[in-house]
Amino acid sequence: IKQALAQSAVGVRHVDLETIGDVTCDDLCDAIREFKPDWIHYVGHCSGAGLVMKHRDMSPAEFAALLEPRPITGLVLNCCNGRPVMAAAVAPFVDVLIAGSPEQPDEWAPRFAQLLWQNIFNGHSIEDSFQDAGPRSDPFPKFADGSVVQLQFEHVLTIKNE
């Protein structure tokens, strides 16, 4: 995502980008409380029990409880099984949810992240950015009211647990 921001034009005036890696559940809780992100982009793995973190998995209910006090604009779960395992629990606390399917290959994640964020940082809509990011098994998830919005955000938290 840092590379995408560096390669973008002037679509975004200022974005605070915080990246944490090798994350425990406590690390993630602390980072969300401290950084107060508008968007969270998770890159890693999702088991049947939840997001794979260092030491143990974070369940869908546990992750949703982190978001409930301060819902976020968007969540990208750039991992296989993100949609079937996590989506129902976290959807009430995000305006935009982009989550991986069971078929999502691991090698697709870095390219998807770079193209998605480069387009977003260049001022494209979320939907156009998603469509341009490459092949996937599902179409862009429509918003509840069917609208497409331009992004206005300042804080992105990325979690890399690969």
Side-chain angles (χ1 to χ4, degrees):
I1 295 173
K2 286 181 182 180
Q3 183 179 3
L5 182 57
Q7 293 175 349
S8 68
V10 293
V12 174
R13 284 184 241 152
H14 176 76
V15 175
D16 290 325
L17 182 62
E18 182 73 27
T19 302
I20 56 175
D22 202 21
V23 179
T24 66
C25 294
D26 289 340
D27 294 337
L28 180 58
C29 294
D30 292 344
I32 289 173
R33 287 185 189 112
E34 178 184 338
F35 196 61
K36 297 176 180 59
D38 299 308
W39 277 76
I40 297 173
H41 187 122
Y42 173 84
V43 178
H45 300 282
C46 185
S47 71
L51 298 179
V52 176
M53 300 285 175
K54 186 177 180 181
H55 303 306
R56 69 175 180 87
D57 294 350
M58 179 175 272
S59 73
E62 187 177 3
F63 191 66
L66 281 176
L67 303 178
E68 186 174 15
R70 187 184 177 276
I72 60 174
T73 303
L75 174 63
V76 179
L77 296 173
N78 200 355
C79 55
C80 61
N81 294 315
R83 183 174 27 85
V85 174
M86 302 294 292
V90 300
F93 309 110
V94 299
D95 295 328
V96 179
L97 173 62
I98 298 173
S101 66
E103 310 82 35
Q104 180 175 320
D106 289 343
E107 61 274 6
W108 175 66
R111 179 182 180 275
F112 173 78
Q114 181 177 358
L115 290 173
L116 175 76
W117 288 101
Q118 188 170 340
N119 286 332
I120 288 171
F121 293 149
N122 278 320
H124 297 277
S125 72
I126 300 166
E127 183 172 18
D128 289 346
S129 299
F130 178 85
Q131 297 299 348
D132 190 52
R136 71 207 104 324
S137 59
D138 298 315
F140 180 75
K142 294 293 182 185
F143 303 107
D145 64 1
S147 66
V148 176
V149 298
Q150 290 294 115
L151 290 178
Q152 297 294 326
F153 62 91
E154 294 182 0
H155 305 290
V156 178
L157 173 64
T158 63
I159 300 107
K160 293 182 76 171
N161 269 0
E162 300 178 283

